[in-house]
Amino acid sequence: MKVRRKARALALQVLFEVDSVEHPVDVALPRRIEDAHEEDVEQEREPLPPEGESFVKMLVRGVSEGRDELDQLIAKFAPEYPVDQLAIVDRNVLRLAFYELRNMGDVPVKVAINEAVELAKLYGSDSAPRFINGVLGAYLAGHPALAKRGA
């Protein structure tokens, strides 16, 4: 598994925990990173390297700090679905994707969208990937300059 893909999955797990049981980020993040490291060692997999851990931390902190703004984007581009009624996985996959699209110029748009859809396939319901892709597609349709940013 690619480092950033693994980091995104870990970030989603932390955000899910924070969103569902309201554990503080400063508690959930280091604990989840440590648990993931132990799982990797136990299963003889390559642990997340330091740059992966940094990416997880950046994603989680960025999403946490920009949560209100990210939720406004979700509400704007998925108006028929109240943000607080979305599945927790879907809501946090969208938060991650919007954060990457808006704040991480080094991540190509297609990569950010594809990674969001892949997370939805892994952790969401059967309809989640199509929903995530549709919301992000609506966002891109309103931001043609962004759509041209890297492939």
Side-chain angles (χ1 to χ4, degrees), residues 6-33:
K6 189 173 184 175
R8 284 181 183 94
L10 192 53
L12 177 61
Q13 292 167 19
V14 172
L15 293 168
F16 183 93
E17 179 180 337
V18 168
D19 202 7
S20 62
V21 293
E22 299 179 7
H23 288 162
V25 169
D26 292 338
V27 172
L29 180 58
R31 185 179 59 227
R32 189 64 204 123
I33 288 173

Side-chain angles (χ1 to χ4, degrees), residues 37-142:
H37 181 74
E38 289 174 9
E39 288 170 15
D40 288 339
V41 170
E42 222 173 75
Q43 297 186 10
E44 298 179 4
R45 294 184 305 225
E46 191 68 33
L48 194 62
E51 66 270 13
E53 285 187 26
S54 295
F55 191 61
V56 172
K57 292 174 183 175
M58 181 181 58
L59 289 174
V60 170
R61 295 205 189 288
V63 168
S64 297
E65 291 168 6
R67 184 173 165 167
D68 291 341
E69 182 183 341
L70 297 169
D71 286 354
Q72 288 173 5
L73 286 170
I74 295 169
K76 181 176 180 179
F77 293 99
E80 60 281 1
Y81 301 95
V83 175
D84 63 338
Q85 293 179 19
L86 286 175
I88 297 170
V89 168
D90 297 355
R91 182 169 52 233
N92 284 291
V93 168
L94 285 169
R95 286 172 177 160
L96 277 168
F98 278 132
Y99 176 77
E100 285 195 61
L101 289 169
R102 292 178 58 91
N103 301 94
M104 299 184 64
D106 68 321
V107 176
V109 170
K110 288 181 181 179
V111 170
I113 292 172
N114 183 61
E115 291 295 317
V117 170
E118 290 300 318
L119 284 173
K121 285 179 185 177
L122 279 172
Y123 299 102
S125 67
D126 289 344
S127 61
R130 196 172 82 226
F131 172 69
I132 298 296
N133 195 48
V135 173
L136 297 176
Y139 175 73
L140 279 185

